[in-house]
Amino acid sequence: MKICLALAVLAATLPAQKLPLPGDPQRCLQLIDLGERPEAKGPELVLVEEGQSKPPRAVPAYAELIAFVRAFVQPPLQDGDDVQVLGGRWLAVLARPEQGASAEQLVQQARQRRDAVIAVDVTLAHVDAKEFDRLFAPLLPAPKPGGPHADVRQAVLDAAATATLSERLQGDKVEMLQTPTVATRPLEPASVAHIKNFSYVKDFSVSKTDGAVVAEPVIGNVSDGVRIELVAAFTGKDHIAVSCTVTNSDLTLPIPKFTTTLAHGAEPVTIQLPEVRTLRLQQTADLPPGSSAVIASPKADGTWLLALVQASLQKK
Amino acid sequence: MTPAAFDDLLHDCLDERRDPFADAAICAWLDQHPGELERVADLRARLLLLPQLAPQVAVRSTRRLPALLAAAGLAGTAALVLLSTQVPAPGRVFSASLTETPPRAYAAVSFTVREVLAATPSLRLETTELRSLRR
């Protein structure tokens, strides 16, 4: 927050796009114009989350944009470097001049192709171990020994391997979740959510009034559905860079419940016991045309979790 | 006015149970002869013991009270203004709330199990599982 405020103050006094930093000759503050931001879509174009009376506010996900720039700036940013979005239009890069130039090039490429539309598909799947060894392991590189997640397999698959993997994901023994396709323009943060919210009685608070036990319900909230936030842009001539966060929550319905009494002589109460499985994927990848980024990881229960991210150019 | 004439005027005033300090001629003479002030004040104080005079003097004191209070108020305000730069301002409460949380029954507990499957600078894959159990 302090850094953001400092950047805002500096930005307000900047006569030019670059400002040297006192006491730090290696770095400078560079402001890059992201261009006019598109107006928020009308309510009729926003997916309404079930259970909500009003459409959610269209708030640009600048965190995803910042993560995107951080991932693709070269040379990589170091401790003390920073990237922020100011006023929804200006990208502030606190880094060495060559890193600022790299960020500027990224923005320039996006602005030159601002009418292009990039579509991103994310597929999540649970696969049992036997099926994974038979169908998917041959398509993926061998795990790299050592490190905290040595069993994880990840790769960028070419178009042919992507088609094969997508076909095998259609098998009966694969529990697959296909998230909605999200289309966006270069460097424009996009998000889609299709979520049902559930309130439930998680417990009771108990008090005694005039000798009688009074029980007030304690309400909890759980969600069921999927939320996607992403930023995509071009790197090079045809490569598409994607930074996305996918969160999928699966609530077991109906919510189990039980009835009990909280004190002697009190009325019985019913308490609900929800179970929610949530899967969260954050990925930043640079993909050649037609290719996909795939990651497969074994879970503690012996099954495999597989995530496939595909990006394609819908409109040049 | 000679001292004898002044004495006659003063005693006439006292005999009429009037406040000598309310008499303009007496006050003018005392202004020119401040040495007589103590004697006049002493005589006036003795007469205050008489019930006929006490109410008159009390009324006059009451009439002077607003002016005295106003003067004291002005002096106090001036002192506050002068001292305000040196005395630290008192603290203020901008918002506050005090609520009592009733005790929970804890008839059920819920907890989350998190499993991080992959974590690199460009990738993070994790699962969480919310579980609820009856106690």
Side-chain angles (χ1 to χ4, degrees), chain A residues 125-129 132-133 151-153 296-299 301-306:
Chain A
H126 293 277
V127 187
D128 69 44
F132 179 82
D133 291 339
D151 294 335
V152 174
R153 300 185 184 192
S297 175
K299 292 176 60 183
D301 61 4
T303 63
W304 281 76
L305 186 61
L306 194 142

Side-chain angles (χ1 to χ4, degrees), chain A residues 62-73 83 243 245 282 284, chain B residues 121:
Chain A
Y62 291 123
E64 205 70 46
L65 176 59
I66 291 167
F68 182 92
V69 175
R70 279 183 168 277
F72 288 100
V73 162
V83 177
S243 176
T245 301
Q282 282 179 290
T284 304

